[in-house]
Amino acid sequence: MKIDRNNILTILAILVFFLFVWWGSNHLTAYAVRVWEDTLIFLMLSAGYNLINGVTGQFSLEPNGFVAIGAYVTAILILTPAQKESMFIIEPMVPWLANLHMSFLPALIIGGIVTAFVGFLLGFPVFRVRGDYLAIVTLGFGLTIRVVSNNTITITNGSLGLKGLPTYTNIWWCAVWAVIAMIVIMRIVDSAFGRAMKAVRDDEDAAIAMGINTLWIKQIAFVTAAFFEGVGGGLLASLITIISPTVFTFFLTFELLIIIVVGGLGSMTGTALATVVVVWGSELLRVVEQPMNIFGLHIPGIPGMRMVVFSILLIIMMIFAREGIMGQKEFSWDWIFNKIKGKRA
Amino acid sequence: MSEVILKCDKLTMRFGGLTAVRDFSIEIKEHMIFGLIGPNGAGKTTAFNMITGNLTPTEGKIHFYGQDITGLKPYKIVSLGMARTFQNIRLFSNLSVLGNVLTGFHHKLKYNLIDAILRTPRFYKYENEMKEAGMALLESVRLADKADFKASELPYGERRKVEIARALATGPKLLLLDEPAAGMNPQETLDLMYFIREIKDKFNLTVFLIEHDMKFVMNLCETIAVLDHGVKIAEGKPEEIRTNPDVIKAYLGDINA
Amino acid sequence: MDLTIILQQLVNGVSLGSLYGLVAIGYTMVYGVIRLINFAHGDIMMVGMYFAFTGIAMMFLPWWAAFLLSMLASALVGVIVDRVAYKPLRNASRISALITAIGVSFFLENSFLVIYGGVPKAFPIPSVFNGAINIHSVIFPNIAIITPIVAIVFLLILLFILHKTKYGMAMRALSFDIDTVRIMGINVDLVISLVFALGSFLAALGGIFWAMRYPAINPLIGIMPGLKAFAAAVLGGIGSVTGAALGGFIIGVTEILVVALFPALAGYKDAFAFLFLIFVLLFKPTGILGEDLERGRF
Amino acid sequence: MKRLLSSLVAVAVALSFLASASFAKEIKVGVVWPITGLVAAFGQSAWKGAQLAHSMKPATKDGCKIKLILLDNKGMKLETANAVSKLITDNHVKAIIGAITSSNTMAGAPIAEKNHIPMITSSATNPLVTKGKKYISRACFIDPFQGKVAAKYIWNNLHAKKAAVMIERDQDYSVGLAHAFMNAYKKLGGKIVAVEFFQSTDQDYSAQISDLKSKNPDVIYMPSYYQELALFSRQARQYGLNQPIMAGDGAEAEALIKIGGKAVNGLTFTTHFDPHAAATPLTVTFVKAFEKKYKTSPDAMAALGADAYFILVNAINEAGGCKATPKKINYYVRHTKDFKGVTGVITINPKTGNAIKSAVIRKVKDGKFVYVTTVNP
Amino acid sequence: MLKVKDLNVYYGVIHAVKGISFDVPNGKIVTLIGANGAGKSSTLKAIAGLVKPKGSILFSDKEIIRHPAHEISKLGVALVPEGRRVFINLTILENLRMGGFNKKISELEPLYEKMFELFPILKERAHQKAGTLSGGEQQMLAIARALMSEPDLLMLDEPSLGLAPLIVSEVFDILRELNKQGRTILLVEQNAAQALKLADYGYVLENGAITLEGEAKGLLENDEVRKRYLGED
């Protein structure tokens, strides 16, 4: 890596971030830490998702499927053989998986790699279609993963799911992985590969005419996204300690979609901001379900109102502010310095 | 004197029951400017798309420098040395002018994904090399001062030039231009004509273009083929085409009317 | 597996398929005119079920009146959804519109959850639709026979509207180009509202018949049939009404027959529609009867 | 956009202060139940029960007010974990009631366990929920017990030697209970002649029914929820499959009879309580109050929700009202002995946290649920 | 008949038409010429109500600016859009029916007859899909479709685009004929030579503003126009 102003600033920013993590893990309430853990995992998931949806412009709806794969693989690897034996009450687990056991880091990485490989295989059929068709086909993939995990009982334990996973995930795991994901993805975006991805997004036929193997470029984005979504799934699995086919529903994809749109499609720094806004916002929205007194007026808590308000806010945002926070722009040091010097961005 | 670089042999393209192009044969020699004319819907763009690999001909063969390229993927054909522009200018609107040009280098990229992620010396070396080459190319088409502009911010005429520069970045031997003068006024068209001649010499190109503007084609091209309803009805030097009775009947009408 | 069972299953499949078809028509028409996957369409099914439920169980209307009112009210909901949420986004990118549609879907689900509660309601089945008939010891539930008939009748009515009335013609023209329809002196927003009304009307009809097959309704009940109906619409060729109906029949029949013939695969039933869809898209990207709506790429 | 969001956040923060401002002498109890999402029905029902129980007993003996804070988990695991965490660290609750389903409860349990906050679940019946946990207890019996009760009833009372099982493949509740039943039934000497699978929201059971007809069991055990049970019963009777059907506690809902009509007549199921076969005096007062307030009889979810609350209040009482520490509360929850709750007499095993209590068998007769018998552990 | 005053069209930040004013008198042919991106099409779209402009557009002394497009059409303004835009998925007859959407059923039959008289080619193929027509035939259909509403003002956006020179002259002949029958025409063209030969009056648009105007004959003689738009040195 070159030692120049921007890289030094980036390293400093990362150090400050970890300092915040260190401070937070000691001073924030367990609940706040918990929500920050969610935020960081979601940041990793949505950064990957934005690479394929925002940067490469391939509107796909598969992340819940990828997250599920990563979660299952990691969970299977970190459970002890004894735990698995007691859990698989319908049919015993296939022996070669039942006896596999390893520590968290290799399990996460294998989870990511397996997911990436599935993404790679999936890419060939799905990228033969474009636009809305791609959306619906990838949506079907997420659904298929759920159906498969319900039925491959000797691997996934069917609807009973995998329970009592060891809780390795903590704020440090989340923070380090989120930073790795952001660095890797932003570096891909800021390279010839990223340019090719944007070219595919802006005009796929013209990109082909430039000699770009667009299938390959889409695959790079897809597989990278799949890897980080798989790792994120592993982190989530160990965080919530129990996974079953119903955990990773379309709602997860939908939340990620909201994040990348709020942040601005194609903008990674926007995604980071939006992750914080959306994850914390939806926690803060719990207020609307609590009974409250406003100026002496008693409003009883209406269960379910949170989701109603959430969806209304989303619709309003799409109508009035659909560019998101950052648009397609990216926060960068050059941009700041130019801003300070008053130059054209 | 010069070698045949593109040879189309009885190309036929059918869409369902419709035959868009029938038995289309041409030969293009090195360093010539070849024009293909005909009304909308005559099959010109279809012929183009077959040559660039966007469509696979139902029948017939295409040879490029003697190599059979029929049915090859478009990006492979580009790497063999053939580049194109589009009728309605298709730039990457959210990339800068330089970024647009750099995409043309992608097919001969010299670093891999790992280099990009780890920011290896190789990454910096070739990334800088590419940027320099891109700037040099923009310099040579007199667009260097616009390198940082978004492609969508440029006026029409310059966008066309950027599109051509982008195609040049792929390092073509044969450049295919789809109605380059569409939407330009006579003054701009004239500029474009000089521009095409200039880059042809500078980059040692062969040019194959589709056009409507008769004056443009007649002045620029050495050989012209005329397509009508998917069939080539004439081929020859501009003055031959101008006086060819078939062409007059099917296409030109009384040109001085 | 003997022949009577196959026959039974076939009738069943046709009945299920015609429901998918009814819902798929709304997807295909909306997509045809404004290029939007109306994610909330499955939820309109749910809205139809709840309205009909309210009519019969709470307002004590005769069933036919409740059904009709429910379908009309659902049509109105469809129109309102379009006017409020989709119309401001006509010129926005497709992804914005699609996300809005997902937002509308969540809004409908959750507001019905707040209004009616999450406890599934028992949908009252009018006696006409209850019971079964016995033909040569093969038993056909009444509902399985009535459903396809109703579906075909409404499909024919719809085709008549599309091909023999001037507003139907305007709808077909819209699927080609909105601005040009506008300069013909046609109030395009009105036509789009009509499309939403027709689609939602049929979705509510589909919903009501769905509720009579599975009479425990909850606010999330529309999601799955909605997705499958969309798959049916794409399979049949999006933009084509007959294609949507055909796609619905195909998905319904294969879903039931595969389960009947290969019980081991029964668990994969819900994924089946999508695998089928992927397969079709790979070999015929525009679906069975579809035309290429993206025509003119070069 | 940014301005919109920041002002929204500001309003939210201000409101949350208003909402959480408290003055009275009180002790906070968190409730994590699904109010939205796929299993919202159960959460809403349990919440009704708990609210009623709260109105019946809003404070401890020494006048310490109980404040219930309900958080919706949407039936999702991640949300459950967040909600439990929030209740503990933001709301400073001393104990938690939740969550409805076993898997959601298990997602929240490790956090309660780590923070030493007692958590009592009203209706998570999977044995793994409390396994190895010191702070997790439950107000309901566990699946193996319910399965055993059903097996015994079929073997002893129905004298059935051959049973078929219908399993709802994608519901862990159904899969778990079915296996508990099969193990118990086989131990008694019974024979499982067929195992059929189906899925939630399946509309058509004709394939399974024709298979069952050919296997000719004496009884069909179908541990599933009421919608599927009602639909299956209707079609089974329509297609001439007339064997008795036995089910688990998921059967209990008015909708079973509304949907099933005559076809569910005779359907028998194991459950937690019967509102009209009073097990304790509390049953009578609770059912009466419930019927007065909600114009309907409480279902098992509501009764269990109330019981979870009553057990907790009882423990808080013992632990010293407002002065109670979570640790003490947990001690008394775990040492609940012969507590006369709504669903019967409850004793909690101090070691496992599982409730030891009787199960009730009810059946449908002439369009009504009627009491059959009580099976003691 | 049409009086445009200080017309401005914005697309986001792009100022496409910058305060132009012009008149189209009754019974005349007026042409707007200029290069691609000069704002010609935007002007027509603004008049037709397809984009939201600022300024004033008086049609038969009635302010129609910001009226919805279908209202403007009903007042008697018809547009033949750029690229023809015939409904390729409808038959030729249906295309005509779309043009006469607001006509009573009884009024339609004579109008069809009139169109078939004007464009005999359409009659032969009345029941074919418009997509099967050639470019020139589609242009005829687009004009016929516009005429079905019996407009007082007929606007055409680049009718010569992409047509063989032979067909172009045919189309212009028809316009001349229509004008003789009393139709007022506003024509936007890049093919300046043809357009000026046909028109009574011309305006030259450049970068969204009018730089020259005058009798068409006069403009044809103008050196500047000859150099820039007719390509003559």
Side-chain angles (χ1 to χ4, degrees), chain B residues 60-77:
Chain B
K61 287 266 173 266
I62 306 160
H63 290 268
F64 184 54
Y65 278 108
Q67 184 187 348
D68 184 356
I69 60 163
T70 324
L72 275 188
K73 290 250 160 49
Y75 65 87
K76 289 230 172 87
I77 294 177

Side-chain angles (χ1 to χ4, degrees), chain B residues 118-138:
Chain B
L118 298 179
R119 289 290 193 253
T120 59
R122 205 149 68 137
F123 168 83
Y124 287 108
K125 179 169 171 243
Y126 290 117
E127 192 69 15
N128 287 337
E129 251 178 35
M130 273 196 292
K131 282 190 178 138
E132 275 161 29
M135 283 311 289
L137 186 60
L138 285 177

Side-chain angles (χ1 to χ4, degrees), chain C residues 182-185, chain E residues 1-2 43-49 57-60 62 64 69-80 99 146-147 149-156 184 186:
Chain C
R182 230 174 230 140
I183 55 173
M184 303 288 114
Chain E
M1 173 167 294
L2 184 76
T43 307
L44 280 201
K45 283 184 180 166
I47 298 168
I57 301 170
L58 291 176
F59 178 69
S60 308
K62 189 171 184 279
I64 59 165
H70 64 271
E71 294 293 341
I72 293 173
S73 162
K74 281 182 197 164
L75 289 173
V77 180
L79 171 65
V80 180
L147 291 173
S149 63
E150 299 190 290
D152 298 321
L153 173 66
L154 180 66
M155 305 195 291
L156 300 102
T184 313
L186 174 57

Side-chain angles (χ1 to χ4, degrees), chain D residues 290-342:
Chain D
F290 194 97
E291 283 172 345
K292 191 173 164 210
K293 186 164 177 193
Y294 299 113
K295 314 281 177 251
T296 164
S297 285
D299 57 10
M301 283 295 155
L304 287 171
D307 264 352
Y309 176 80
F310 284 131
I311 291 172
L312 197 58
V313 174
N314 197 41
I316 294 172
N317 247 333
E318 301 275 339
C322 276
K323 293 191 295 288
T325 62
K327 231 179 193 146
K328 265 192 174 168
I329 297 175
N330 188 53
Y331 177 86
Y332 287 108
V333 167
R334 284 243 164 162
H335 287 80
T336 303
K337 197 164 178 357
D338 296 332
F339 177 77
K340 294 181 181 59
V342 178

Side-chain angles (χ1 to χ4, degrees), chain A residues 221-243:
Chain A
F222 205 49
V223 169
T224 309
F227 176 79
F228 286 115
E229 277 158 11
V231 173
L235 288 170
L236 273 177
S238 168
L239 185 70
I240 54 185
T241 74
I242 166 166
I243 55 169

Side-chain angles (χ1 to χ4, degrees), chain C residues 208-255:
Chain C
I208 289 167
F209 274 81
W210 186 273
M212 290 195 286
R213 288 174 64 95
Y214 183 78
I217 58 173
N218 70 66
L220 306 182
I221 197 170
I223 298 175
M224 205 36 145
L227 283 175
K228 286 190 189 161
F230 183 77
V234 178
L235 180 62
I238 199 134
S240 157
V241 167
T242 18
L246 187 67
F249 274 107
I250 292 174
I251 285 193
V253 171
T254 34
E255 191 176 302

Side-chain angles (χ1 to χ4, degrees), chain B residues 39-40 156 183-188 212 215 248-253 257, chain E residues 35-36 84 161-166 190 194 197 227-232:
Chain B
N40 258 17
Y156 192 83
M184 289 184 169
N185 65 33
Q187 184 65 50
E188 289 170 321
H212 261 122
K215 196 168 282 169
I248 291 174
K249 189 162 156 259
Y251 183 62
L252 295 177
Chain E
N36 203 316
R84 310 180 273 280
L161 193 75
L163 298 184
L166 191 66
Q190 269 189 59
Q194 294 265 29
K197 273 180 206 155
K227 190 162 161 254
R228 294 189 59 103
Y229 297 99
L230 305 180
E232 293 171 19

Side-chain angles (χ1 to χ4, degrees), chain C residues 40-105:
Chain C
H41 194 64
D43 299 299
I44 297 284
M45 261 181 101
M46 176 274 293
V47 168
M49 298 182 204
Y50 270 96
F51 283 166
F53 165 81
T54 312
I56 299 179
M58 293 161 81
M59 292 156 70
F60 307 105
L61 296 172
W63 64 266
W64 52 269
F67 285 7
L68 195 66
L69 276 179
S70 154
M71 284 167 2
L72 291 173
S74 304
L76 188 66
V77 171
V79 171
I80 292 171
V81 162
D82 171 53
R83 285 290 162 118
V84 173
Y86 301 155
K87 190 167 167 248
L89 287 156
R90 286 275 196 271
N91 297 317
S93 69
R94 295 237 200 130
I95 187 166
S96 310
L98 190 77
I99 291 167
T100 311
I102 299 175
V104 170
S105 161

